[in-house]
Amino acid sequence: MLLKKQTVWLLTMLSLVVVLSVYYVTADPKTTNQVVQQNKEKETSSSKENASSSQKIKLTTKPASDEVFEALRLERQDELSKKQEELTNKLASTDLTPEEKSKAMDEMKKLTETANKEQVLESLIKAKGYEDALVQADSDEVIVTVKSKKHDKAAANEIVQLVNQELGNTPKLAVEFQTN
């Protein structure tokens, strides 16, 4: 019974990797890279750092467009699919011990949970009235990029509270507001 669940899960992940691979092969990479590069050149950022109970919060404002958010999402999805592919290859390997395979499976579950939490946070932030949001959570750092016309410390604190409710207190948390 357990073997069948693992097989179904493995096939699901492999099909996800195949679909994402086809998407990236057919996507126009020059457009994405040009948009990101242009944004970096035009970027005017004003950074304000707040220190609160063992957290370092960074507030940044930059000009943005929908293409920048899409480029960031694609980059995040690409990194996630690469990590999942590596873990899937580990699981398929016959050289690993059962403990190592179990550890790889736990890492894959953690990646999936983190991706789900990122999506939930993005939805919650959008529900607060922001145009768009992108959450990138690593093991010790969370970067929240929000597309909004209003940007101030109160809005950043509201986002920080949402992140802390969903992910718990993180050592490093950056909130970036991107304007049109």
Side-chain angles (χ1 to χ4, degrees):
M1 179 84 176
L2 181 63
L3 183 60
K4 290 181 182 178
K5 286 182 181 180
Q6 288 179 346
T7 304
V8 169
W9 193 82
L10 180 64
L11 290 174
T12 303
M13 287 297 123
L14 287 174
S15 63
L16 177 64
V17 169
V18 169
V19 169
L20 288 174
S21 299
V22 169
Y23 176 75
Y24 289 121
V25 168
T26 59
D28 185 15
K30 292 180 182 176
T31 305
T32 304
N33 290 337
Q34 288 172 349
V35 170
V36 172
Q37 192 172 32
Q38 287 173 356
N39 184 43
K40 287 180 180 177
E41 291 171 0
K42 294 179 183 177
E43 184 174 287
T44 59
S45 65
S46 62
S47 297
K48 299 174 186 174
E49 293 189 19
N50 300 333
S52 69
S53 63
S54 75
Q55 271 190 331
K56 190 170 188 178
I57 302 170
K58 183 177 177 183
L59 174 63
T60 308
T61 304
K62 302 176 188 176
S65 65
D66 292 334
E67 293 86 15
V68 173
F69 275 83
E70 287 304 315
L72 290 171
R73 278 193 180 93
L74 288 175
E75 182 180 314
R76 183 182 73 183
Q77 287 175 349
D78 189 34
E79 289 174 12
L80 180 64
S81 65
K82 284 180 183 177
K83 288 178 184 177
Q84 287 180 336
E85 185 178 359
E86 288 173 9
L87 291 171
T88 303
N89 289 338
K90 280 185 180 180
L91 289 172
S93 174
T94 57
D95 298 338
L96 296 179
T97 65
E99 291 83 19
E100 292 172 327
K101 286 186 179 185
S102 176
K103 185 178 177 181
M105 182 65 85
D106 291 342
E107 287 180 42
M108 193 170 287
K109 285 180 185 178
K110 185 177 177 182
L111 280 176
T112 305
E113 288 173 4
T114 302
N116 289 339
K117 286 181 181 181
E118 287 175 349
Q119 290 176 349
V120 167
L121 275 169
E122 288 174 5
S123 299
L124 289 172
I125 292 169
K126 287 178 189 177
K128 293 285 185 182
Y130 297 103
E131 295 177 41
D132 203 356
L134 181 68
V135 179
Q136 297 171 306
D138 290 331
S139 59
D140 64 341
E141 182 179 28
V142 178
I143 300 171
V144 180
T145 308
V146 180
K147 184 176 180 184
S148 173
K149 293 178 183 171
K150 68 172 188 170
H151 51 281
D152 57 3
K153 289 182 181 181
N157 284 333
E158 183 180 32
I159 293 169
V160 167
Q161 289 175 355
L162 280 174
V163 171
N164 286 336
Q165 287 174 357
E166 189 65 31
L167 298 176
N169 288 337
T170 56
K172 294 181 183 178
L173 176 60
V175 178
E176 298 179 358
F177 286 94
Q178 300 205 355
T179 60
N180 293 341

